[in-house]
Amino acid sequence: GWEMLEGKYQLPDPRDEHVVAVAEFAQAGVTVTENLKDFPEDKMPMGIAVQHPREFLLNAIHIDPQLVGQAVLTMSERSGRYGPKLDSYGYLEKMIRTFELEEVRSFLRPHLMGDSSNQSTK
C-alpha cells in the first residue's frame, strides 16, 4: 500500500522516494541512512526523523542497551549471508569499526552474554 505515497515528497534524489513512502506507510518514527543529504528534514513527513546509523545506535543504547544487545545478537545470527559468519562480539566489532563507535563497546558487551556461539574474547 505504500506505492501510492511514492513521488509525493520531492526528494533531491527521486530514487529515494520509496524509502520515505514506506516509512510513512509504516508510521515509522525514524529513517536510518548514511545518505542524509538526500533526505532533507523539510521534505520528511511530520513525525519522521532522519538519523545517521551512528546517531540512531547511540540514541537506542541510551534508551535501552539490553534491547540493542538483543538486536546485535539477532543480526549476528543472520550474518554469513553476504559476508563472513560472525558471533555477536564479532558483529559488534564490525559495527564499531564501520560507524566509529568505540564508546559503545563497554555499554553493549554485557548485553551479549546470551550468545551461545561466542568464541571471541575481545
Side-chain angles (χ1 to χ4, degrees), residues 13-32:
D13 185 345
R15 295 172 297 177
D16 292 328
E17 289 279 325
H18 70 285
V19 175
V20 181
V22 170
E24 184 173 18
F25 183 78
Q27 300 178 344
V30 65
T31 295
V32 181

Side-chain angles (χ1 to χ4, degrees), residues 98-112:
T98 301
F99 299 115
E100 299 174 4
L101 290 163
E102 283 296 323
E103 69 272 28
V104 306
R105 185 180 287 113
S106 63
F107 290 103
L108 287 181
R109 283 183 57 84
H111 301 288
L112 301 179

Side-chain angles (χ1 to χ4, degrees), residues 12 18-19 29 37 55 68 83 85 92 108-109 122:
H18 70 285
V19 175
K37 69 178 178 51
E55 179 184 10
V68 175
K85 178 76 175 153
L92 175 61
L108 287 181
R109 283 183 57 84
K122 288 188 178 183

Side-chain angles (χ1 to χ4, degrees), residues 62-75:
H62 178 73
I63 293 167
D64 193 339
Q66 185 174 358
L67 185 61
V68 175
Q70 184 57 50
V72 171
L73 284 169
T74 300
M75 290 184 289

Side-chain angles (χ1 to χ4, degrees), residues 4-119:
M4 65 185 171
L5 298 172
E6 191 172 13
K8 84 173 211 178
Y9 309 102
Q10 300 176 355
L11 296 176
D13 185 345
R15 295 172 297 177
D16 292 328
E17 289 279 325
H18 70 285
V19 175
V20 181
V22 170
E24 184 173 18
F25 183 78
Q27 300 178 344
V30 65
T31 295
V32 181
T33 180
E34 291 182 81
N35 183 18
L36 298 176
K37 69 178 178 51
D38 285 338
F39 294 89
E41 189 176 312
D42 64 327
K43 301 289 185 182
M44 297 300 292
M46 181 74 79
I48 300 179
V50 178
Q51 293 180 354
H52 186 276
R54 182 180 201 287
E55 179 184 10
F56 179 80
L57 185 57
L58 290 172
N59 289 338
I61 290 168
H62 178 73
I63 293 167
D64 193 339
Q66 185 174 358
L67 185 61
V68 175
Q70 184 57 50
V72 171
L73 284 169
T74 300
M75 290 184 289
S76 70
E77 290 167 1
R78 295 177 183 165
S79 70
R81 187 170 180 187
Y82 298 107
K85 178 76 175 153
L86 300 170
D87 66 12
S88 62
Y89 288 93
Y91 200 88
L92 175 61
E93 291 303 316
K94 179 181 174 182
M95 289 173 53
I96 288 169
R97 282 190 311 274
T98 301
F99 299 115
E100 299 174 4
L101 290 163
E102 283 296 323
E103 69 272 28
V104 306
R105 185 180 287 113
S106 63
F107 290 103
L108 287 181
R109 283 183 57 84
H111 301 288
L112 301 179
M113 295 305 179
D115 184 2
S116 60
S117 67
N118 177 33
Q119 297 170 1

